[in-house]
């Protein structure tokens, strides 16, 4: 079985938000980094955006980005649609509000890969140019099988004269400044994806990317939910797929009460959270609870000390945050 896109290099995580200035400032505080510059879109003559097969003359965004971690950088992109005109970004914001929107892979010949993806059942939503009109991107609706929106991004060294829009001073998705990552927090451990049927999702990733998890785990944990002092048993099935750049952790809720089952009941399947490692989770929880990030679920050892925690950071960061204690961090 071959890889449909001939790559598994995941280069970007995308979040769409209504208040980019607030969200990027909150992320900069969490990452202990500089605040990135917000960069507005260029005009249609540069971006040549096509949304659902039609020219999107007025579709544009404000964008900012953090580049996270070593050894392989992953861009964390924040986008805020401008003008309330139809586009992939505006439609997502209207339907879902602020939240994680896509992951991106870098490909060669994005139009050809998009055609192959459509033949495989993925739906082409939007295309456009970036980086002085040289680079290209395509958003694919892969929510049915892969449970997310997938972006194909291509950064050719030289434009093809027959394909580049005329008069292209700078593109909609031009690169943002590289931001240093905090010494106390690494790049993401993984991106969490809540799914209904783990086996079906893993089969889809094998078919599209020719990737499989090392193992499927039946997880049973004792945890405190929503700030309660009482322990409950939460259960899920999970599997991690390693992409180049960052991992995807697929979680199928089993128990009726958990942070995953609540999300599934409210929002269905899809991108759920970003997980980051910390050296001292107890200290981190104390710090973040004081600034108003309430715990949604804290998994604990038998002695009650925490090993992982989900925090209610949706309002400040645009998505749920998971912190994982790692002794070797």
């Amino acid at each position: 079985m071959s890889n449909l896109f001939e790559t598994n290099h995941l280069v970007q995580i995308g979040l769409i938000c209504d208040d980019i200035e607030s969200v990027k400032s909150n992320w900069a505080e969490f990452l202990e980094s500089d605040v990135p510059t917000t960069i507005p879109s260029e005009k249609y003559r540069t971006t040549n955006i096509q949304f659902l097969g039609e020219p999107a003359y007025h579709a544009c965004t404000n964008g900012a980005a953090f580049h996270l971690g070593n050894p392989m950088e992953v861009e964390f992109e924040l986008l805020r649609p401008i003008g309330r005109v139809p586009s992939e970004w505006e439609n997502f914001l209207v339907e879902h509000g602020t939240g994680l929107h896509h992951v991106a892979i870098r490909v060669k010949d994005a139009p050809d890969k998009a055609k192959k993806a459509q033949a495989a059942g993925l739906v082409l939503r939007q295309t456009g140019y970036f980086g002085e009109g040289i680079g290209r991107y395509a958003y694919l609706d892969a929510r049915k099988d892969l449970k997310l929106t997938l972006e194909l991004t291509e950064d050719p060294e030289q434009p093809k004269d027959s394909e580049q829009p005329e008069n292209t001073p700078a593109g909609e998705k031009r690169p943002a400044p590289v931001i240093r990552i905090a010494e106390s927090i690494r790049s993401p451990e993984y991106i969490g994806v809540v799914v209904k049927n783990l086996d079906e999702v893993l089969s889809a990733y094998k078919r599209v990317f020719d990737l499989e998890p090392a193992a499927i785990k039946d997880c049973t944990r004792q945890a405190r939910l929503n700030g309660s002092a009482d322990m409950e048993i939460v259960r899920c099935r999970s599997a991690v797929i390693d992409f180049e750049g960052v991992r995807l952790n697929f979680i199928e809720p089993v128990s009726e009460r958990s942070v995953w089952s609540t999300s599934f009941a409210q929002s269905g399947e899809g991108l759920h959270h970003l997980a980051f490692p910390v050296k001292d989770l107890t200290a981190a929880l104390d710090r973040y609870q004081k600034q108003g990030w309430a715990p949604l679920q804290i998994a604990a050892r038998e002695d009650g000390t925490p090993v992982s925690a989900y925090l209610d950071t949706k309002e400040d960061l645009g998505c749920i945050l998971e912190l994982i204690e790692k002794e070797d961090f």
Side-chain angles (χ1 to χ4, degrees):
M1 189 174 293
S2 61
N3 185 320
L4 182 64
F5 302 107
E6 300 176 9
T7 181
N8 60 4
H9 187 186
L10 199 156
V11 297
Q12 186 186 85
I13 306 163
L15 183 145
I16 291 178
C17 54
D18 193 41
D19 185 351
I20 192 170
E21 297 305 315
S22 176
V23 171
K24 75 173 184 178
S25 294
N26 291 332
W27 271 105
E29 181 178 356
F30 171 71
L31 296 172
E32 300 175 12
S33 76
D34 301 324
V35 179
T37 303
T38 298
I39 301 174
S41 297
E42 293 297 327
K43 302 296 184 181
Y44 176 80
R45 62 188 176 90
T46 299
T47 61
N48 193 29
I49 294 172
Q50 306 293 307
F51 175 56
L52 298 179
E54 299 291 336
Y57 297 110
H58 304 293
C60 54
T61 66
N62 282 329
F66 298 89
H67 288 194
L68 305 178
N70 291 310
M72 300 190 70
E73 275 191 352
V74 175
E75 181 181 72
F76 182 39
E77 179 184 56
L78 309 180
L79 294 171
R80 198 279 186 186
I82 300 173
R84 303 308 188 196
V85 296
S87 70
E88 174 64 14
W89 312 299
E90 176 64 16
N91 277 27
F92 179 88
L93 191 61
V94 170
E95 292 178 12
H96 305 285
T98 294
L100 294 169
H101 173 254
H102 69 267
V103 298
I105 57 172
R106 182 171 289 127
V107 300
K108 295 181 180 179
D109 196 348
D112 176 68
K113 297 301 189 297
K115 289 179 181 178
K116 290 181 178 179
Q118 288 177 280
L122 281 65
V123 179
L124 183 63
R125 297 277 299 176
Q126 180 169 303
T127 62
Y129 286 80
F130 66 92
E132 298 183 350
I134 299 173
R136 297 178 287 197
Y137 72 93
Y139 287 126
L140 297 167
D141 183 353
R143 289 174 293 177
K144 179 181 177 181
D145 295 328
L146 304 182
K147 309 309 175 184
L148 47 77
T149 294
L150 181 67
E151 179 185 6
L152 309 182
T153 180
E154 179 184 5
D155 305 300
E157 294 182 2
Q158 298 294 333
K160 298 179 181 179
D161 293 337
S162 62
E163 296 180 350
Q164 180 187 357
E166 297 180 355
N167 302 320
T168 57
E172 176 270 325
K173 288 166 65 66
R174 75 178 93 166
V178 174
I179 303 300
R180 64 180 176 85
I181 192 73
E183 293 181 1
S184 60
I185 299 178
R186 292 178 182 171
S187 57
E189 276 288 297
Y190 52 73
I191 306 167
V193 187
V194 170
V195 304
K196 180 180 181 180
N197 187 310
L198 182 62
D199 297 319
E200 290 182 358
V201 172
L202 296 181
S203 177
Y205 275 83
K206 175 64 176 177
R207 184 176 68 253
V208 174
F209 290 103
D210 196 22
L211 290 174
E212 296 178 287
I216 298 174
K217 297 181 179 180
D218 292 306
C219 303
T220 300
R221 306 170 182 172
Q222 60 174 4
R224 292 185 287 269
L225 301 179
N226 301 315
S228 172
D230 299 326
M231 289 288 188
E232 299 185 38
I233 299 299
V234 296
R235 294 183 175 88
C236 70
R237 300 178 70 229
S238 70
V240 174
I241 291 182
D242 289 317
F243 282 77
E244 293 180 45
V246 70
R247 302 183 298 168
L248 296 183
N249 185 15
F250 300 95
I251 303 167
E252 176 189 324
V254 174
S255 55
E256 291 186 4
R257 283 173 52 82
S258 71
V259 66
W260 318 296
S261 57
T262 297
S263 177
F264 179 76
Q266 294 176 347
S267 306
E269 300 174 283
L271 297 170
H272 179 255
H273 68 274
L274 298 181
F276 287 84
V278 295
K279 187 172 184 179
D280 186 340
L281 181 54
T282 299
L285 283 172
D286 181 65
R287 171 185 175 184
Y288 294 126
Q289 286 184 78
K290 287 180 179 178
Q291 70 182 54
W293 293 356
L296 299 171
Q297 178 173 298
I298 302 176
R301 302 179 180 91
E302 290 186 4
D303 64 3
T305 57
V307 292
S308 68
Y310 291 85
L311 301 180
D312 187 1
T313 50
K314 179 79 172 178
E315 183 174 346
D316 288 343
L317 300 182
C319 66
I320 291 173
L321 198 67
E322 181 186 10
L323 303 180
I324 303 170
E325 184 165 277
K326 299 195 70 173
E327 293 181 359
D328 60 346
F329 174 54

